[in-house]
Amino acid sequence: GAVVSQHPSWVICKSGTSVKIECRSLDFQATTMFWYRQFPKQSLMLMATSNEGSKATYEQGVEKDKFLINHASLTLSTLTVTSAHPEDSSFYICSARDSREGLYEQYFGPGTRLTVT
Amino acid sequence: GQNIDQPTEMTATEGAIVQINCTYQTSGFNGLFWYQQHAGEAPTFLSYNVLDGLEEKGRFSSFLSRSKGYSYLLLKELQMKDSASYLCAVLDSNYQLIWGAGTKLIIKP
């Protein structure tokens, strides 16, 4: 089956620093990748849709200058949380959609737990 | 607006059957997904329905009625490991996934 990896699985950083999270599709090409955030006991919240070779599309209320997304290849997207603050502490999950026509299932990475101190 | 409704929480007994309902109102429809999410983990794919009817996959089955904007996930022979949140998501006319808030299923011995 399709596998998506995410790195790191957890990270602790100090307030004001930046953190980069990588999302890779291991055995398929993904034109589109998605970044979600999930706070404890809450539903998934889509942050942005990342398209290979073009700018990401951010959801309303998500600061694009704070959450930098790069989708440089068909198998890699990165999310950089810049100048992180404690309120950015959350579970960040990426998903990838197979590029082949007619396939719309999203395959999820294992998630990255970010704690900002 | 787009809306997906599912119960917040359900409780069932080990070995029993439980049905989790999902109703939706979206701009277009290109299929409905069910995902399972254990606490602290990412969602995992369970099923995809695009045509009306029942899709069976082992202990799990998913049903869709497009005319009613309704789906359900049926879990049989419940096991303790089935305790998780179950997320309903609809692929809209733009092929974007619209997510429900999830149903937390609690299994009791």
Side-chain angles (χ1 to χ4, degrees):
Chain A
V3 178
V4 175
S5 71
Q6 207 171 320
H7 177 80
S9 54
W10 60 269
V11 58
I12 301 173
C13 71
K14 292 186 177 180
S15 187
T17 61
S18 295
V19 174
K20 180 185 282 188
I21 303 170
E22 290 188 351
C23 178
R24 292 181 186 274
S25 57
L26 298 185
D27 50 3
F28 66 99
Q29 293 185 329
T31 306
T32 305
M33 290 184 171
F34 304 86
W35 287 97
Y36 294 87
R37 181 166 55 183
Q38 188 174 36
F39 292 105
K41 298 184 179 181
Q42 294 188 23
S43 183
L44 289 171
M45 289 177 50
L46 179 65
M47 298 176 66
T49 301
S50 167
N51 294 299
E52 186 266 339
S54 65
K55 291 183 179 180
T57 303
Y58 290 81
E59 295 300 302
Q60 193 172 8
V62 178
E63 301 173 58
K64 62 180 181 181
D65 294 331
K66 180 171 181 62
F67 298 99
L68 302 178
I69 291 173
N70 186 286
H71 193 157
S73 77
L74 286 172
T75 59
L76 173 65
S77 177
T78 60
L79 167 68
T80 302
V81 183
T82 62
S83 187
H85 289 95
E87 56 265 32
D88 297 325
S89 298
S90 186
F91 190 45
Y92 291 86
I93 312 172
C94 74
S95 69
R97 191 158 71 195
D98 197 312
S99 296
R100 288 174 290 175
E101 189 173 343
L103 298 179
Y104 301 107
E105 176 186 336
Q106 290 185 25
Y107 301 95
F108 285 86
T112 297
R113 191 161 301 283
L114 170 65
T115 302
V116 184
T117 60
Chain B
Q2 310 210 84
N3 194 47
I4 296 183
D5 287 318
Q6 49 182 132
T8 303
E9 187 174 298
M10 298 181 71
T11 302
T13 305
E14 188 177 15
I17 299 173
V18 71
Q19 177 174 310
I20 302 174
N21 297 323
C22 172
T23 58
Y24 62 89
Q25 291 176 310
T26 56
S27 55
F29 179 84
N30 282 299
L32 185 144
F33 292 86
W34 283 97
Y35 283 84
Q36 180 191 59
Q37 185 178 26
H38 285 99
E41 299 180 11
T44 55
F45 170 79
L46 289 179
S47 67
Y48 172 62
N49 293 67
V50 65
L51 299 176
D52 289 350
L54 186 68
E55 295 272 347
E56 297 186 72
K57 193 184 293 185
R59 293 190 299 115
F60 293 6
S61 302
S62 56
F63 172 83
L64 175 67
S65 169
R66 288 172 297 172
S67 62
K68 295 182 179 178
Y70 167 69
S71 171
Y72 67 73
L73 180 69
L74 190 71
L75 291 76
K76 302 177 184 176
E77 301 169 17
L78 287 170
Q79 301 174 10
M80 297 303 293
K81 67 178 183 179
D82 297 330
S83 292
S85 287
Y86 291 85
L87 307 174
C88 172
V90 171
L91 201 60
D92 71 6
S93 56
N94 294 318
Y95 294 97
Q96 299 285 12
L97 266 184
I98 311 300
W99 292 88
T103 298
K104 181 179 180 180
L105 178 62
I106 299 168
I107 309 297
K108 295 185 175 180

